[in-house]
DNA sequence: CACAATTCAGTTGTGCGCAACCTAATGGTC
DNA sequence: GACCATTAGGTTGCGCACAACTGAATTGTG
């Protein structure tokens, strides 16, 4: 009715709110959204920013190594790095000793972005409103969760695994 | 080079926030991967499963309400629900009293999927290896994080917000 | 009633994210 | 050298996720 009061669309409690998985999915999207607006001035996406972080801290490396750190495969990183190359942030170089390998290396412009984007983490941290101890606790839980879950995924798709008894009817 | 010991003169926010964001991003993908393999026999995706969960528990509702619960907009839910309709799981009905509204309602087949998929949560929980108290603690942190972050996103994109003095030249 | 503002769903375009597949290059074996 | 399995990156196809836009329906106001 009056000005801009809440139009009765308050966050109602729904069943999905009880699911840890949905909380994870939802929080992840919310963070990505924050990065989207923070990175918008440079036309960067969150996965592209993650590529920057790895390369800034560890230097040039093959595309496969990058994928292992970010848990992304070539189907994702191939086009993603091509876009970053076209934007002038990095180069993709065929290794001379092994022609299968493509080394991903920052350009001078890409290195310069390290200072350009120095304020990004603090900006996102401001949105997250997490104190240090909670952040570390949360990070630990999430690492554990990702490790356990990926181990499960690998085991259930790989019949050579010997873990897990052949429990028939569960 | 890695495993930096205490960064003496580190400013308030440093790499730690980054790691939390990536841990979240990574864990979310890992869980989605688990759902992917668990739901594969029915050709369902994780967001489609979430739609089922909401509709099973709350019954038919407009597409917009569904989007508010899942934090997804019409650009995502419109094609998603069309695929689920084509698969025979639900119907999309124009409301008679308001022709703008499309009500999403499960078919008998969609209702039957509730028993069909009853084992899914336990299966995914088995992959996650979380005890109840940790799960609840994690869920609480993630809800808080998502709420804070979305509030920040909304405030920074909506100048009509009156929360605090809007920083002029920023 | 006229008409502007708002609401709701849909469409288009871009960028992940991943399965499935392809090709080229490499290494091991004979 | 011929053969084969493996490895690295690329391509295709599909389904999200979201910004930006469209268009129809509804509501508020005079």
């Amino acid at each position: 009715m009056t000005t801009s009061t809440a139009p009765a669309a308050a966050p109602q409690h729904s069943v999905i709110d009880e699911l840890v998985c949905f909380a994870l999915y939802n929080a992840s999207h919310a963070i990505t959204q924050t990065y989207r607006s923070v990175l918008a001035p440079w036309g960067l996406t969150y996965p592209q920013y993650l590529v920057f972080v790895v390369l800034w801290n560890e230097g040039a490396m093959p595309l496969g190594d990058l994928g292992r750190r970010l848990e992304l495969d070539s189907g994702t990183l191939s086009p993603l790095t091509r876009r970053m190359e076209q934007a002038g942030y990095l180069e993709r170089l065929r290794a001379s000793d092994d022609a299968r390998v493509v080394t991903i290396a920052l350009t001078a412009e890409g290195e310069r972005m390290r200072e350009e984007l120095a304020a990004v983490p603090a900006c996102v941290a401001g949105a997250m409103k997490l104190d240090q101890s909670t952040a570390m606790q949360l990070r630990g839980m999430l690492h554990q969760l990702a490790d356990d879950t990926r181990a499960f995924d690998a085991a259930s798709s790989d019949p050579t695994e010997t873990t897990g008894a052949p429990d028939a009817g569960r």
Side-chain angles (χ1 to χ4, degrees), chain A:
Chain A
M1 280 291 272
T2 59
T3 57
S4 63
T5 55
Q12 309 173 249
H13 181 71
S14 175
V15 200
I16 53 168
D17 296 330
E18 291 159 18
L19 301 179
V20 177
C21 294
F22 175 69
L24 192 54
Y25 167 88
N26 188 22
S28 178
H29 286 167
I31 292 291
T32 300
Q33 176 59 34
T34 303
Y35 274 102
R36 196 189 318 280
S37 53
V38 169
L39 295 171
W42 297 275
L44 290 169
T45 66
Y46 180 47
Q48 288 170 12
Y49 175 75
L50 291 176
V51 167
F52 267 130
V53 171
V54 171
L55 295 178
W56 286 332
N57 286 285
E58 301 189 56
M61 66 179 68
L63 186 140
D65 287 10
L66 200 53
R68 240 157 267 128
R69 280 162 179 73
L70 300 176
E71 298 280 5
L72 295 172
D73 70 356
S74 68
T76 299
L77 285 179
S78 234
L80 187 153
T81 54
R82 187 187 315 120
R83 281 186 287 271
M84 291 182 76
E85 183 179 39
Q86 286 165 355
Y89 295 132
L90 51 80
E91 284 180 312
R92 282 140 33 104
L93 310 160
R94 284 282 163 190
S96 55
D97 60 327
D98 187 338
R100 293 171 301 181
V101 174
V102 168
T103 300
I104 309 294
L106 289 171
T107 60
E109 174 69 14
E111 291 287 358
R112 195 157 45 240
M113 292 298 281
R114 187 168 198 170
E115 288 96 68
E116 187 88 9
L117 300 177
V120 168
C123 191
V124 174
M128 292 176 36
K129 289 189 174 64
L130 285 181
D131 62 284
Q132 187 119 1
S133 78
T134 308
M136 286 176 65
Q137 194 183 1
L138 179 58
R139 186 186 58 117
M141 285 180 177
L142 292 171
H143 276 307
Q144 186 66 50
L145 180 59
D147 288 350
D148 289 344
T149 305
R150 292 208 191 270
F152 180 91
D153 294 344
S156 63
S157 68
D158 182 2
T160 68
E161 270 300 319
T162 54
T163 61
D167 193 337
R170 179 60 186 250

